[in-house]
């Protein structure tokens, strides 16, 4: 049995243990499987042919646009997902998981500025996703790449992390673990914690800092991050400067964009060699 199949079997036990739950971000977005036919890897914007402003905005931001007739099958699916009361609507499609990740009905209340903000964000998400897809794939054919999208204030992530450490010891260098910061907006200190962990990474102490963050998960506050750095004897000036000047904010934000691009809404979300295992049925894992 290959390492990939052995590891998938172990992950099955993880899914059963967590009952396919995890920390879920609150979102008004609807998701459903869709075959979008995308070939370039960028997010796709489905737009009804009477939503001209939306199509023009999406194209202006360099996003692929597929214009559809309001009476088409695709259009009816989008309308059902969005509970739209108007015939003008659009949906953003994730080309990796082929699902609708967000969308909206167009009416007089949608301003040009709101459309600008939407497609500016989607442009960033799309670029981050396309540029980082190699993070999901192993460096060698006989290796397994485990990409973990995690949040330092998510209790399920805290419980999952020791399992990852056990697997690293069991499988050695054939298991490649990729940590991806995905702080959820409902957790007050999770983004700051991610920044602090990335600052510790720059000092070669990501793993011990990560463990300390999880151990103090229930008491994290503004003063926690420097205290943990002091406990680990990190260079005070370098760490404090990195944290205060938010030198790792962009890196954390890029990780968030990557997760959004992949259609992730909760943590921990797990990819094995590019296949998502969050909310997946056990029989699908066995077939992997």
């Amino acid at each position: 049995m290959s390492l990939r199949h052995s590891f998938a079997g172990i992950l099955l036990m993880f899914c059963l243990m967590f009952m396919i739950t995890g920390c879920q971000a609150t979102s008004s977005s609807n998701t459903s499987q869709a075959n979008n036919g995308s070939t370039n890897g960028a997010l796709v914007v489905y737009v009804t042919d009477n939503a001209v402003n939306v199509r023009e905005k999406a194209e202006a931001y360099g996003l692929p646009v597929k214009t559809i007739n309001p009476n088409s099958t695709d259009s009816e699916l989008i309308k059902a997902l969005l509970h739209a009361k108007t015939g003008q609507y659009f949906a953003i499609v994730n080309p990796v998981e082929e699902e609708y990740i967000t969308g909206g009905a167009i009416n007089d209340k949608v301003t040009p500025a709101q459309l600008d903000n939407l497609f500016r964000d989607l442009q960033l998400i799309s670029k981050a996703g396309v540029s980082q897809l190699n993070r999901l794939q192993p460096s060698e054919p006989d290796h397994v790449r485990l990409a973990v999208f995690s949040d330092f204030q998510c209790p399920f992530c805290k419980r999952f992390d020791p399992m990852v450490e056990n697997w690293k010891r069991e499988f050695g260098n054939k298991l490649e673990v990729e940590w991806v910061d995905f702080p959820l907006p409902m957790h007050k200190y999770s983004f700051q914690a991610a920044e602090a962990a990335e600052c510790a990474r720059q000092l070669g102490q990501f793993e011990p800092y990560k463990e300390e963050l999880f151990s103090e998960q229930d008491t994290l506050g503004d003063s926690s991050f420097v205290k943990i750095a002091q406990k680990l004897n990190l260079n005070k000036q370098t760490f404090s400067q990195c944290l205060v000047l938010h030198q790792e904010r962009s890196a954390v934000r890029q990780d968030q964009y990557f997760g959004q691009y992949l259609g992730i809404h909760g943590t921990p979300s797990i990819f094995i060699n590019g296949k998502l295992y969050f909310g997946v049925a056990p029989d699908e894992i066995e077939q992997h």
Side-chain angles (χ1 to χ4, degrees):
M1 182 179 292
S2 68
L3 170 62
R4 185 176 181 179
H5 284 87
S6 296
F7 189 73
I10 292 173
L11 194 61
L12 168 60
M13 291 186 290
F14 151 74
C15 289
L16 293 174
M17 181 180 295
F18 285 89
M19 300 299 291
I20 318 300
T21 55
C23 296
Q24 293 283 330
T26 56
S27 171
S28 59
S29 300
N30 294 286
T31 62
S32 178
Q33 293 301 311
N35 184 0
N36 61 76
S38 169
T39 58
N40 65 2
L43 295 173
V44 180
V45 184
Y46 274 60
V47 182
T48 52
D49 56 15
N50 52 358
V52 179
N53 290 338
V54 178
R55 183 177 71 246
E56 291 179 347
K57 282 290 184 184
E59 290 172 342
Y61 280 95
L63 291 163
V65 177
K66 293 187 179 294
T67 304
I68 54 179
N69 184 286
N71 297 318
S72 69
T73 303
D74 285 323
S75 180
E76 287 303 311
L77 176 57
I78 295 171
K79 187 173 183 179
L81 289 168
L82 302 174
H83 306 291
K85 296 180 181 180
T86 172
Q88 299 183 29
Y89 37 84
F90 68 96
I92 313 304
V93 178
N94 177 306
V96 176
E97 293 299 314
E98 296 188 339
E99 66 178 10
Y100 293 105
I101 61 171
T102 189
I106 305 306
N107 54 49
D108 294 337
K109 294 181 181 179
V110 178
T111 68
Q114 288 174 317
L115 287 178
D116 268 321
N117 290 336
L118 169 69
F119 289 114
R120 185 181 296 111
D121 288 345
L122 289 169
Q123 181 189 51
L124 293 171
I125 291 169
S126 189
K127 284 184 176 180
V130 171
S131 67
Q132 297 188 75
L133 282 174
N134 62 322
R135 297 175 70 185
L136 303 180
Q137 299 300 327
S139 61
E140 301 291 340
D142 62 337
H143 287 194
V144 166
R145 175 67 62 91
L146 172 66
V148 182
F149 289 73
S150 194
D151 176 317
F152 285 111
Q153 284 196 288
C154 171
F156 296 95
C157 296
K158 178 179 178 178
R159 291 168 57 192
F160 180 62
D161 193 62
M163 298 181 190
V164 177
E165 297 305 313
N166 289 336
W167 294 333
K168 286 163 69 174
R169 288 189 289 271
E170 180 177 353
F171 295 108
N173 60 11
K174 287 195 173 184
L175 176 63
E176 303 172 2
V177 178
E178 182 78 9
W179 172 278
V180 188
D181 292 301
F182 199 70
L184 300 172
M186 64 186 182
H187 293 149
K188 182 177 180 180
Y189 295 105
S190 61
F191 193 97
Q192 193 175 354
E195 285 186 279
E198 295 304 327
C199 287
R201 187 193 298 277
Q202 298 306 315
L203 294 170
Q205 295 294 312
F206 175 78
E207 290 295 333
Y209 198 94
K210 178 190 69 172
E211 291 177 9
E212 290 294 331
L213 282 172
F214 277 134
S215 68
E216 298 186 23
Q217 184 179 79
D218 296 334
T219 58
L220 284 181
D222 291 321
S223 62
S224 301
F225 309 111
V226 172
K227 287 181 180 178
I228 293 174
Q230 291 173 340
K231 181 178 180 179
L232 296 174
N233 295 316
L234 301 186
N235 184 289
K236 182 178 179 180
Q237 181 178 354
T238 303
F239 180 86
S240 296
Q241 179 175 320
C242 178
L243 194 62
V244 172
L245 298 181
H246 300 288
Q247 292 177 353
E248 294 300 320
R249 173 174 287 178
S250 177
V252 175
R253 190 69 72 195
Q254 287 293 307
D255 276 5
Q256 282 187 314
Y257 287 152
F258 186 31
Q260 291 175 50
Y261 170 84
L262 294 169
I264 290 173
H265 301 290
T267 56
S269 286
I270 316 301
F271 283 80
I272 300 179
N273 290 359
K275 182 174 178 59
L276 177 63
Y277 282 98
F278 183 86
V280 69
D283 59 338
E284 291 182 54
I285 295 177
E286 291 174 347
Q287 296 167 11
H288 186 66

